[in-house]
Amino acid sequence: MFGRMFKLCILLIVLPLSMSMARAADVVLYSSNNVETVNRVLDGFAKAHPDIKVSVVRAGTGALMQRIKAEANNPLGDIFWSGGLSTISEFRDQLAPYASPQAAAVPAAYRGPDNLWLGTNTHVTVLMANLKQVPQGQLPKGWEDLADPKWKGKIVIPDPERSSASFVAMYGLHKQLGLETLTKIARNAVIVGTTSAAYEGVAKGEFAVAVTMEYAGYEYIAGGMKEIKLIYPAEGTFLSPEGMAIIKNGKNPEPARKLYEYLASKETQTEVFKSAYRRPLRQDIDVSALAALPKLSDVSIVQLDDAAMGAQRAEFIAQWRQIISAR
């Protein structure tokens, strides 16, 4: 009897300890990526780390960063993946430094100061065209072409106030070609509320050309739509790099770092590209060998100052509203 009671006492002592250890192995991921991408990656992580349970909170980058800031005194998340670097940089005080061995594969321009974040992938701004809808079957070669009155009502642009990728594109266009060209293009365009409404509109034949992201347009090409073409503007285009970070004072730093390493790995980022065409920032992944897309080094890129872009966002959006209201 005493032996059984002794064993039961030992079990009652060990059980809470083991449950506590199990909880300590959990990690909370804040992510703005779509459900399919998150689930696919976490399925792989579960196989590699069956002892770690990942809980996911999904929302837009801005909303999640505001949440991380609001939770600063009692962080409920452990890691964020992934959002625009310009947005992430505004919340650097809420991030914890982590020197990942994977960082060496990513250009220094996409690594945060003191290792506060690491670039994972980048969106490339493209013109997505539907050959059945372009005037006289002639594709535009660049931004300047879209200023021609013949494109009136045939261009679709997501509202840059609601779409971060469109904001980068319109801000970049303003910086590169000036207010006059931006105004002509905007006045030719139909402005829609979401990024998806733009590329879906071109795919359905509702518009001839969309200002959108490379991966979104390429999904239709990979799916067999031969009438869809991607155009990298002759004057140069813009990048919207994204990254991830460890949340400062998160309750589960060790499993968070393991998830961080998994997300940063060449294998994971290759799989994300194969399934979702999100172009990785790692220099050791050649996307041109995996899909009918150019190497990033072969695309003319106009470099933008992320800090200046963030600081000038409100001013630019106010100017954009004036352009649209005067149409």
Side-chain angles (χ1 to χ4, degrees):
M1 180 69 176
F2 175 77
R4 287 198 298 271
M5 288 297 292
F6 178 76
K7 289 178 181 178
L8 180 59
C9 288
I10 292 295
L11 180 60
L12 290 173
I13 292 170
V14 171
L15 187 59
L17 178 62
S18 63
M19 290 175 67
S20 176
M21 290 175 65
R23 283 195 295 270
D26 290 354
V27 60
V28 179
L29 170 67
Y30 286 180
S31 182
S32 60
N33 286 314
N34 62 52
V35 173
E36 293 79 8
T37 299
V38 172
N39 288 346
R40 187 176 290 109
V41 168
L42 293 187
D43 285 346
F45 181 75
K47 294 175 183 177
H49 298 277
D51 56 322
I52 300 176
K53 176 185 175 182
V54 182
S55 299
V56 182
V57 176
R58 285 192 65 259
T61 299
L64 286 173
M65 283 294 157
Q66 290 290 352
R67 177 170 177 160
I68 291 169
K69 183 177 181 179
E71 296 171 350
N73 293 329
N74 181 32
L76 301 180
D78 298 298
I79 178 173
F80 171 78
W81 174 68
S82 62
L85 295 187
S86 59
T87 302
I88 291 175
S89 67
E90 294 178 26
F91 295 85
R92 64 184 66 197
D93 291 343
Q94 276 68 56
L95 309 177
Y98 175 56
S100 167
Q102 307 281 352
V106 177
Y110 306 117
R111 291 182 244 151
D114 301 319
N115 298 305
L116 287 176
W117 60 81
L118 179 65
T120 51
N121 62 283
T122 187
H123 298 305
V124 182
T125 301
V126 297
L127 302 179
M128 173 185 172
N130 187 319
L131 290 175
K132 294 181 178 179
Q133 301 300 324
V134 296
Q136 293 85 49
Q138 296 180 346
L139 292 171
K141 295 180 180 178
W143 299 111
E144 291 275 9
D145 290 350
L146 299 183
D148 191 306
K150 74 177 183 179
W151 291 98
K152 180 74 173 179
K154 299 182 180 298
I155 308 164
V156 59
I157 298 175
D159 185 348
E161 189 170 4
R162 301 183 184 183
S163 165
S164 59
S166 186
F167 166 67
V168 171
M170 295 300 101
Y171 174 90
L173 180 55
H174 180 214
K175 287 293 181 183
Q176 185 190 19
L177 297 179
L179 181 61
E180 182 178 352
T181 299
L182 172 65
T183 300
K184 289 179 179 179
I185 293 173
R187 290 179 177 173
N188 278 342
V190 175
I191 311 301
V192 292
T194 65
T195 303
S196 60
Y199 58 75
E200 288 174 359
V202 171
K204 293 175 182 177
E206 297 170 356
F207 303 100
V209 173
V211 176
T212 189
M213 296 171 286
E214 179 186 57
Y215 87 90
Y218 188 73
E219 285 183 337
Y220 292 99
I221 295 173
M225 291 188 66
K226 296 182 179 180
E227 65 269 32
I228 301 300
K229 299 293 179 184
L230 299 187
I231 300 155
Y232 299 83
E235 304 93 337
T237 192
F238 317 103
L239 298 182
S240 297
E242 296 186 335
M244 63 180 174
I246 300 289
I247 298 171
K248 184 189 289 186
N249 298 324
K251 296 177 175 62
N252 306 290
E254 286 305 317
R257 292 187 191 109
K258 288 182 180 179
L259 178 55
Y260 190 104
E261 289 299 317
Y262 185 83
L263 295 172
S265 70
K266 180 178 181 180
E267 293 74 19
T268 298
Q269 294 198 14
T270 298
E271 287 306 311
V272 170
F273 177 77
K274 286 181 178 179
S275 61
Y277 307 111
R278 293 174 182 255
R279 185 184 284 266
L281 283 168
R282 290 186 65 112
Q283 294 177 302
D284 55 0
I285 302 176
D286 180 6
V287 301
S288 66
L290 303 172
L293 290 172
K295 295 180 180 180
L296 195 58
S297 58
D298 293 335
V299 178
S300 177
I301 302 297
V302 178
Q303 298 296 332
L304 299 175
D305 185 325
D306 283 340
M309 185 161 49
Q312 296 169 15
R313 176 182 172 82
E315 179 184 354
F316 175 79
I317 292 300
Q319 192 171 42
W320 172 263
R321 287 175 183 160
Q322 289 181 343
I323 293 171
I324 298 305
S325 64
R327 293 194 301 175

mmCIF file of all heavy atoms in Angstrom, residues 96-139:
data_model
loop_
_atom_site.group_PDB
_atom_site.id
_atom_site.type_symbol
_atom_site.label_atom_id
_atom_site.label_comp_id
_atom_site.label_asym_id
_atom_site.label_seq_id
_atom_site.Cartn_x
_atom_site.Cartn_y
_atom_site.Cartn_z
ATOM 1 N N ALA A 96 13.829 41.190 -30.810
ATOM 2 C CA ALA A 96 15.016 40.699 -30.107
ATOM 3 C C ALA A 96 16.092 40.324 -31.113
ATOM 4 O O ALA A 96 15.793 39.695 -32.136
ATOM 5 C CB ALA A 96 14.665 39.483 -29.258
ATOM 6 N N PRO A 97 17.347 40.690 -30.886
ATOM 7 C CA PRO A 97 18.413 40.306 -31.807
ATOM 8 C C PRO A 97 18.644 38.804 -31.805
ATOM 9 O O PRO A 97 18.532 38.151 -30.765
ATOM 10 C CB PRO A 97 19.635 41.057 -31.256
ATOM 11 C CG PRO A 97 19.330 41.285 -29.816
ATOM 12 C CD PRO A 97 17.850 41.459 -29.737
ATOM 13 N N TYR A 98 18.911 38.280 -32.987
ATOM 14 C CA TYR A 98 19.259 36.862 -33.108
ATOM 15 C C TYR A 98 20.186 36.688 -34.298
ATOM 16 O O TYR A 98 19.804 36.976 -35.432
ATOM 17 C CB TYR A 98 18.012 35.992 -33.269
ATOM 18 C CG TYR A 98 18.354 34.542 -33.512
ATOM 19 C CD1 TYR A 98 19.155 33.838 -32.609
ATOM 20 C CD2 TYR A 98 17.911 33.880 -34.652
ATOM 21 C CE1 TYR A 98 19.502 32.517 -32.833
ATOM 22 C CE2 TYR A 98 18.230 32.556 -34.887
ATOM 23 C CZ TYR A 98 19.034 31.875 -33.972
ATOM 24 O OH TYR A 98 19.374 30.571 -34.204
ATOM 25 N N ALA A 99 21.398 36.221 -34.034
ATOM 26 C CA ALA A 99 22.396 36.030 -35.090
ATOM 27 C C ALA A 99 22.260 34.620 -35.655
ATOM 28 O O ALA A 99 22.841 33.666 -35.133
ATOM 29 C CB ALA A 99 23.800 36.263 -34.536
ATOM 30 N N SER A 100 21.484 34.491 -36.708
ATOM 31 C CA SER A 100 21.263 33.189 -37.325
ATOM 32 C C SER A 100 22.424 32.812 -38.243
ATOM 33 O O SER A 100 22.917 33.648 -39.008
ATOM 34 C CB SER A 100 19.970 33.216 -38.145
ATOM 35 O OG SER A 100 19.881 32.078 -38.978
ATOM 36 N N PRO A 101 22.860 31.551 -38.219
ATOM 37 C CA PRO A 101 23.871 31.101 -39.166
ATOM 38 C C PRO A 101 23.405 31.209 -40.620
ATOM 39 O O PRO A 101 24.218 31.250 -41.536
ATOM 40 C CB PRO A 101 24.090 29.629 -38.782
ATOM 41 C CG PRO A 101 23.559 29.490 -37.404
ATOM 42 C CD PRO A 101 22.474 30.500 -37.270
ATOM 43 N N GLN A 102 22.074 31.273 -40.822
ATOM 44 C CA GLN A 102 21.509 31.369 -42.169
ATOM 45 C C GLN A 102 21.680 32.762 -42.767
ATOM 46 O O GLN A 102 21.570 32.938 -43.977
ATOM 47 C CB GLN A 102 20.005 31.053 -42.119
ATOM 48 C CG GLN A 102 19.644 29.755 -41.443
ATOM 49 C CD GLN A 102 19.856 28.548 -42.322
ATOM 50 O OE1 GLN A 102 20.138 28.665 -43.514
ATOM 51 N NE2 GLN A 102 19.725 27.378 -41.740
ATOM 52 N N ALA A 103 21.957 33.749 -41.929
ATOM 53 C CA ALA A 103 21.961 35.141 -42.381
ATOM 54 C C ALA A 103 23.008 35.410 -43.455
ATOM 55 O O ALA A 103 22.834 36.300 -44.288
ATOM 56 C CB ALA A 103 22.177 36.072 -41.196
ATOM 57 N N ALA A 104 24.095 34.667 -43.441
ATOM 58 C CA ALA A 104 25.175 34.896 -44.409
ATOM 59 C C ALA A 104 24.707 34.711 -45.855
ATOM 60 O O ALA A 104 25.310 35.268 -46.777
ATOM 61 C CB ALA A 104 26.344 33.964 -44.114
ATOM 62 N N ALA A 105 23.628 33.958 -46.060
ATOM 63 C CA ALA A 105 23.121 33.708 -47.418
ATOM 64 C C ALA A 105 22.259 34.851 -47.928
ATOM 65 O O ALA A 105 21.887 34.881 -49.106
ATOM 66 C CB ALA A 105 22.321 32.407 -47.448
ATOM 67 N N VAL A 106 21.929 35.800 -47.054
ATOM 68 C CA VAL A 106 21.044 36.922 -47.400
ATOM 69 C C VAL A 106 21.871 38.200 -47.506
ATOM 70 O O VAL A 106 22.679 38.487 -46.622
ATOM 71 C CB VAL A 106 19.940 37.088 -46.328
ATOM 72 C CG1 VAL A 106 19.057 38.293 -46.642
ATOM 73 C CG2 VAL A 106 19.105 35.811 -46.225
ATOM 74 N N PRO A 107 21.725 38.980 -48.576
ATOM 75 C CA PRO A 107 22.481 40.236 -48.698
ATOM 76 C C PRO A 107 22.303 41.132 -47.478
ATOM 77 O O PRO A 107 21.220 41.183 -46.875
ATOM 78 C CB PRO A 107 21.884 40.886 -49.956
ATOM 79 C CG PRO A 107 21.357 39.737 -50.759
ATOM 80 C CD PRO A 107 20.865 38.738 -49.750
ATOM 81 N N ALA A 108 23.357 41.824 -47.132
ATOM 82 C CA ALA A 108 23.360 42.663 -45.927
ATOM 83 C C ALA A 108 22.236 43.696 -45.927
ATOM 84 O O ALA A 108 21.730 44.067 -44.864
ATOM 85 C CB ALA A 108 24.713 43.354 -45.786
ATOM 86 N N ALA A 109 21.836 44.160 -47.113
ATOM 87 C CA ALA A 109 20.782 45.176 -47.203
ATOM 88 C C ALA A 109 19.452 44.685 -46.645
ATOM 89 O O ALA A 109 18.585 45.484 -46.292
ATOM 90 C CB ALA A 109 20.599 45.605 -48.658
ATOM 91 N N TYR A 110 19.287 43.368 -46.558
ATOM 92 C CA TYR A 110 18.024 42.797 -46.094
ATOM 93 C C TYR A 110 18.145 42.173 -44.706
ATOM 94 O O TYR A 110 17.309 41.370 -44.303
ATOM 95 C CB TYR A 110 17.518 41.766 -47.105
ATOM 96 C CG TYR A 110 17.426 42.327 -48.496
ATOM 97 C CD1 TYR A 110 18.209 41.815 -49.532
ATOM 98 C CD2 TYR A 110 16.584 43.395 -48.779
ATOM 99 C CE1 TYR A 110 18.142 42.353 -50.807
ATOM 100 C CE2 TYR A 110 16.505 43.936 -50.048
ATOM 101 C CZ TYR A 110 17.293 43.412 -51.062
ATOM 102 O OH TYR A 110 17.239 43.947 -52.323
ATOM 103 N N ARG A 111 19.190 42.543 -43.982
ATOM 104 C CA ARG A 111 19.369 42.092 -42.603
ATOM 105 C C ARG A 111 19.239 43.296 -41.685
ATOM 106 O O ARG A 111 19.796 44.352 -41.965
ATOM 107 C CB ARG A 111 20.748 41.460 -42.411
ATOM 108 C CG ARG A 111 20.921 40.130 -43.128
ATOM 109 C CD ARG A 111 22.298 39.566 -42.824
ATOM 110 N NE ARG A 111 23.108 39.469 -44.027
ATOM 111 C CZ ARG A 111 24.429 39.544 -44.056
ATOM 112 N NH1 ARG A 111 25.096 39.767 -42.950
ATOM 113 N NH2 ARG A 111 25.081 39.426 -45.199
ATOM 114 N N GLY A 112 18.520 43.136 -40.605
ATOM 115 C CA GLY A 112 18.315 44.250 -39.697
ATOM 116 C C GLY A 112 19.554 44.601 -38.913
ATOM 117 O O GLY A 112 20.440 43.759 -38.719
ATOM 118 N N PRO A 113 19.671 45.854 -38.463
ATOM 119 C CA PRO A 113 20.787 46.239 -37.606
ATOM 120 C C PRO A 113 20.772 45.410 -36.337
ATOM 121 O O PRO A 113 19.709 45.131 -35.776
ATOM 122 C CB PRO A 113 20.510 47.730 -37.326
ATOM 123 C CG PRO A 113 19.052 47.897 -37.548
ATOM 124 C CD PRO A 113 18.688 46.929 -38.629
ATOM 125 N N ASP A 114 21.968 44.979 -35.894
ATOM 126 C CA ASP A 114 22.080 44.144 -34.686
ATOM 127 C C ASP A 114 21.280 42.852 -34.815
ATOM 128 O O ASP A 114 20.808 42.299 -33.813
ATOM 129 C CB ASP A 114 21.629 44.915 -33.439
ATOM 130 C CG ASP A 114 22.439 46.184 -33.213
ATOM 131 O OD1 ASP A 114 23.663 46.138 -33.408
ATOM 132 O OD2 ASP A 114 21.839 47.212 -32.861
ATOM 133 N N ASN A 115 21.103 42.388 -36.059
ATOM 134 C CA ASN A 115 20.398 41.119 -36.310
ATOM 135 C C ASN A 115 18.961 41.119 -35.777
ATOM 136 O O ASN A 115 18.456 40.096 -35.308
ATOM 137 C CB ASN A 115 21.177 39.948 -35.694
ATOM 138 C CG ASN A 115 22.548 39.792 -36.306
ATOM 139 O OD1 ASN A 115 22.685 39.665 -37.516
ATOM 140 N ND2 ASN A 115 23.574 39.809 -35.463
ATOM 141 N N LEU A 116 18.296 42.268 -35.880
ATOM 142 C CA LEU A 116 16.925 42.363 -35.386
ATOM 143 C C LEU A 116 15.907 41.711 -36.317
ATOM 144 O O LEU A 116 14.803 41.376 -35.891
ATOM 145 C CB LEU A 116 16.550 43.828 -35.149
ATOM 146 C CG LEU A 116 17.200 44.498 -33.932
ATOM 147 C CD1 LEU A 116 16.819 45.964 -33.866
ATOM 148 C CD2 LEU A 116 16.782 43.791 -32.639
ATOM 149 N N TRP A 117 16.237 41.564 -37.578
ATOM 150 C CA TRP A 117 15.361 40.844 -38.505
ATOM 151 C C TRP A 117 16.186 40.266 -39.631
ATOM 152 O O TRP A 117 17.343 40.615 -39.836
ATOM 153 C CB TRP A 117 14.258 41.738 -39.057
ATOM 154 C CG TRP A 117 14.718 42.947 -39.836
ATOM 155 C CD1 TRP A 117 15.122 43.000 -41.147
ATOM 156 C CD2 TRP A 117 14.814 44.293 -39.341
ATOM 157 N NE1 TRP A 117 15.451 44.291 -41.500
ATOM 158 C CE2 TRP A 117 15.273 45.099 -40.408
ATOM 159 C CE3 TRP A 117 14.549 44.893 -38.109
ATOM 160 C CZ2 TRP A 117 15.479 46.470 -40.273
ATOM 161 C CZ3 TRP A 117 14.752 46.260 -37.983
ATOM 162 C CH2 TRP A 117 15.204 47.029 -39.053
ATOM 163 N N LEU A 118 15.550 39.362 -40.382
ATOM 164 C CA LEU A 118 16.223 38.719 -41.506
ATOM 165 C C LEU A 118 15.274 38.662 -42.687
ATOM 166 O O LEU A 118 14.136 38.200 -42.565
ATOM 167 C CB LEU A 118 16.663 37.299 -41.131
ATOM 168 C CG LEU A 118 17.373 36.502 -42.231
ATOM 169 C CD1 LEU A 118 18.715 37.155 -42.587
ATOM 170 C CD2 LEU A 118 17.588 35.061 -41.797
ATOM 171 N N GLY A 119 15.732 39.147 -43.841
ATOM 172 C CA GLY A 119 14.918 39.085 -45.047
ATOM 173 C C GLY A 119 14.683 37.654 -45.480
ATOM 174 O O GLY A 119 15.595 36.821 -45.438
ATOM 175 N N THR A 120 13.456 37.358 -45.898
ATOM 176 C CA THR A 120 13.111 36.005 -46.325
ATOM 177 C C THR A 120 12.801 35.944 -47.817
ATOM 178 O O THR A 120 13.293 35.071 -48.530
ATOM 179 C CB THR A 120 11.894 35.493 -45.531
ATOM 180 O OG1 THR A 120 10.846 36.468 -45.600
ATOM 181 C CG2 THR A 120 12.268 35.255 -44.077
ATOM 182 N N ASN A 121 11.981 36.857 -48.276
ATOM 183 C CA ASN A 121 11.578 36.841 -49.682
ATOM 184 C C ASN A 121 11.308 38.271 -50.138
ATOM 185 O O ASN A 121 11.260 39.193 -49.322
ATOM 186 C CB ASN A 121 10.322 35.994 -49.873
ATOM 187 C CG ASN A 121 9.124 36.545 -49.122
ATOM 188 O OD1 ASN A 121 9.020 36.379 -47.911
ATOM 189 N ND2 ASN A 121 8.221 37.217 -49.824
ATOM 190 N N THR A 122 11.153 38.447 -51.421
ATOM 191 C CA THR A 122 10.831 39.778 -51.932
ATOM 192 C C THR A 122 9.788 39.690 -53.033
ATOM 193 O O THR A 122 9.789 38.741 -53.834
ATOM 194 C CB THR A 122 12.077 40.507 -52.457
ATOM 195 O OG1 THR A 122 11.730 41.861 -52.780
ATOM 196 C CG2 THR A 122 12.646 39.837 -53.705
ATOM 197 N N HIS A 123 8.895 40.653 -53.036
ATOM 198 C CA HIS A 123 7.943 40.787 -54.133
ATOM 199 C C HIS A 123 8.539 41.734 -55.167
ATOM 200 O O HIS A 123 9.107 42.770 -54.813
ATOM 201 C CB HIS A 123 6.611 41.335 -53.630
ATOM 202 C CG HIS A 123 5.932 40.455 -52.632
ATOM 203 N ND1 HIS A 123 5.658 39.130 -52.894
ATOM 204 C CD2 HIS A 123 5.487 40.686 -51.369
ATOM 205 C CE1 HIS A 123 5.068 38.591 -51.841
ATOM 206 N NE2 HIS A 123 4.957 39.509 -50.907
ATOM 207 N N VAL A 124 8.425 41.383 -56.422
ATOM 208 C CA VAL A 124 8.897 42.222 -57.522
ATOM 209 C C VAL A 124 7.675 42.826 -58.201
ATOM 210 O O VAL A 124 6.753 42.100 -58.589
ATOM 211 C CB VAL A 124 9.712 41.405 -58.543
ATOM 212 C CG1 VAL A 124 10.236 42.313 -59.654
ATOM 213 C CG2 VAL A 124 10.868 40.681 -57.859
ATOM 214 N N THR A 125 7.643 44.142 -58.314
ATOM 215 C CA THR A 125 6.528 44.799 -59.006
ATOM 216 C C THR A 125 6.619 44.520 -60.499
ATOM 217 O O THR A 125 7.669 44.717 -61.111
ATOM 218 C CB THR A 125 6.557 46.318 -58.771
ATOM 219 O OG1 THR A 125 6.464 46.571 -57.369
ATOM 220 C CG2 THR A 125 5.390 46.996 -59.478
ATOM 221 N N VAL A 126 5.527 44.061 -61.080
ATOM 222 C CA VAL A 126 5.480 43.791 -62.521
ATOM 223 C C VAL A 126 4.190 44.370 -63.094
ATOM 224 O O VAL A 126 3.269 44.745 -62.356
ATOM 225 C CB VAL A 126 5.527 42.274 -62.828
ATOM 226 C CG1 VAL A 126 6.833 41.648 -62.357
ATOM 227 C CG2 VAL A 126 4.327 41.549 -62.216
ATOM 228 N N LEU A 127 4.146 44.409 -64.411
ATOM 229 C CA LEU A 127 2.904 44.672 -65.128
ATOM 230 C C LEU A 127 2.398 43.318 -65.613
ATOM 231 O O LEU A 127 3.093 42.611 -66.330
ATOM 232 C CB LEU A 127 3.137 45.617 -66.309
ATOM 233 C CG LEU A 127 3.740 46.974 -65.957
ATOM 234 C CD1 LEU A 127 3.946 47.803 -67.233
ATOM 235 C CD2 LEU A 127 2.875 47.732 -64.968
ATOM 236 N N MET A 128 1.221 42.949 -65.187
ATOM 237 C CA MET A 128 0.599 41.691 -65.600
ATOM 238 C C MET A 128 -0.390 42.005 -66.704
ATOM 239 O O MET A 128 -1.328 42.786 -66.507
ATOM 240 C CB MET A 128 -0.108 41.044 -64.412
ATOM 241 C CG MET A 128 -0.935 39.817 -64.741
ATOM 242 S SD MET A 128 -1.827 39.267 -63.254
ATOM 243 C CE MET A 128 -2.899 38.001 -63.959
ATOM 244 N N ALA A 129 -0.178 41.436 -67.885
ATOM 245 C CA ALA A 129 -1.002 41.782 -69.046
ATOM 246 C C ALA A 129 -1.787 40.582 -69.566
ATOM 247 O O ALA A 129 -1.331 39.440 -69.483
ATOM 248 C CB ALA A 129 -0.124 42.333 -70.160
ATOM 249 N N ASN A 130 -2.963 40.872 -70.092
ATOM 250 C CA ASN A 130 -3.793 39.871 -70.747
ATOM 251 C C ASN A 130 -3.762 40.173 -72.244
ATOM 252 O O ASN A 130 -4.274 41.196 -72.695
ATOM 253 C CB ASN A 130 -5.220 39.930 -70.213
ATOM 254 C CG ASN A 130 -6.088 38.789 -70.728
ATOM 255 O OD1 ASN A 130 -6.019 38.420 -71.894
ATOM 256 N ND2 ASN A 130 -6.915 38.235 -69.852
ATOM 257 N N LEU A 131 -3.150 39.283 -73.014
ATOM 258 C CA LEU A 131 -2.953 39.509 -74.453
ATOM 259 C C LEU A 131 -4.270 39.718 -75.199
ATOM 260 O O LEU A 131 -4.301 40.382 -76.234
ATOM 261 C CB LEU A 131 -2.198 38.330 -75.062
ATOM 262 C CG LEU A 131 -0.722 38.186 -74.681
ATOM 263 C CD1 LEU A 131 -0.152 36.902 -75.255
ATOM 264 C CD2 LEU A 131 0.071 39.391 -75.170
ATOM 265 N N LYS A 132 -5.351 39.164 -74.681
ATOM 266 C CA LYS A 132 -6.637 39.291 -75.360
ATOM 267 C C LYS A 132 -7.273 40.669 -75.154
ATOM 268 O O LYS A 132 -8.223 41.017 -75.852
ATOM 269 C CB LYS A 132 -7.600 38.210 -74.843
ATOM 270 C CG LYS A 132 -7.175 36.792 -75.208
ATOM 271 C CD LYS A 132 -8.187 35.774 -74.687
ATOM 272 C CE LYS A 132 -7.800 34.355 -75.082
ATOM 273 N NZ LYS A 132 -8.782 33.348 -74.563
ATOM 274 N N GLN A 133 -6.726 41.447 -74.216
ATOM 275 C CA GLN A 133 -7.334 42.724 -73.882
ATOM 276 C C GLN A 133 -6.473 43.947 -74.218
ATOM 277 O O GLN A 133 -6.985 45.062 -74.249
ATOM 278 C CB GLN A 133 -7.656 42.763 -72.378
ATOM 279 C CG GLN A 133 -8.593 41.655 -71.915
ATOM 280 C CD GLN A 133 -9.944 41.707 -72.610
ATOM 281 O OE1 GLN A 133 -10.456 42.782 -72.886
ATOM 282 N NE2 GLN A 133 -10.514 40.544 -72.893
ATOM 283 N N VAL A 134 -5.172 43.753 -74.473
ATOM 284 C CA VAL A 134 -4.310 44.912 -74.725
ATOM 285 C C VAL A 134 -4.646 45.537 -76.076
ATOM 286 O O VAL A 134 -4.947 44.824 -77.046
ATOM 287 C CB VAL A 134 -2.813 44.536 -74.673
ATOM 288 C CG1 VAL A 134 -2.428 44.062 -73.284
ATOM 289 C CG2 VAL A 134 -2.468 43.468 -75.709
ATOM 290 N N PRO A 135 -4.622 46.862 -76.169
ATOM 291 C CA PRO A 135 -4.972 47.549 -77.424
ATOM 292 C C PRO A 135 -4.062 47.122 -78.581
ATOM 293 O O PRO A 135 -2.846 47.115 -78.463
ATOM 294 C CB PRO A 135 -4.753 49.026 -77.079
ATOM 295 C CG PRO A 135 -4.880 49.098 -75.597
ATOM 296 C CD PRO A 135 -4.319 47.801 -75.089
ATOM 297 N N GLN A 136 -4.684 46.730 -79.687
ATOM 298 C CA GLN A 136 -3.975 46.294 -80.890
ATOM 299 C C GLN A 136 -2.967 45.166 -80.608
ATOM 300 O O GLN A 136 -2.045 44.921 -81.383
ATOM 301 C CB GLN A 136 -3.219 47.450 -81.573
ATOM 302 C CG GLN A 136 -4.114 48.530 -82.173
ATOM 303 C CD GLN A 136 -4.508 49.567 -81.142
ATOM 304 O OE1 GLN A 136 -3.669 50.101 -80.409
ATOM 305 N NE2 GLN A 136 -5.794 49.890 -81.091
ATOM 306 N N GLY A 137 -3.150 44.483 -79.503
ATOM 307 C CA GLY A 137 -2.262 43.373 -79.166
ATOM 308 C C GLY A 137 -0.844 43.785 -78.822
ATOM 309 O O GLY A 137 0.054 42.943 -78.784
ATOM 310 N N GLN A 138 -0.639 45.085 -78.591
ATOM 311 C CA GLN A 138 0.705 45.599 -78.310
ATOM 312 C C GLN A 138 0.904 45.757 -76.803
ATOM 313 O O GLN A 138 0.262 46.590 -76.167
ATOM 314 C CB GLN A 138 0.915 46.934 -79.017
ATOM 315 C CG GLN A 138 0.882 46.814 -80.535
ATOM 316 C CD GLN A 138 1.104 48.159 -81.215
ATOM 317 O OE1 GLN A 138 1.034 49.207 -80.580
ATOM 318 N NE2 GLN A 138 1.367 48.123 -82.510
ATOM 319 N N LEU A 139 1.822 44.975 -76.262
ATOM 320 C CA LEU A 139 2.115 45.034 -74.840
ATOM 321 C C LEU A 139 2.871 46.315 -74.495
ATOM 322 O O LEU A 139 3.695 46.779 -75.285
ATOM 323 C CB LEU A 139 2.968 43.829 -74.420
ATOM 324 C CG LEU A 139 2.302 42.461 -74.474
ATOM 325 C CD1 LEU A 139 3.347 41.371 -74.245
ATOM 326 C CD2 LEU A 139 1.199 42.360 -73.434
#
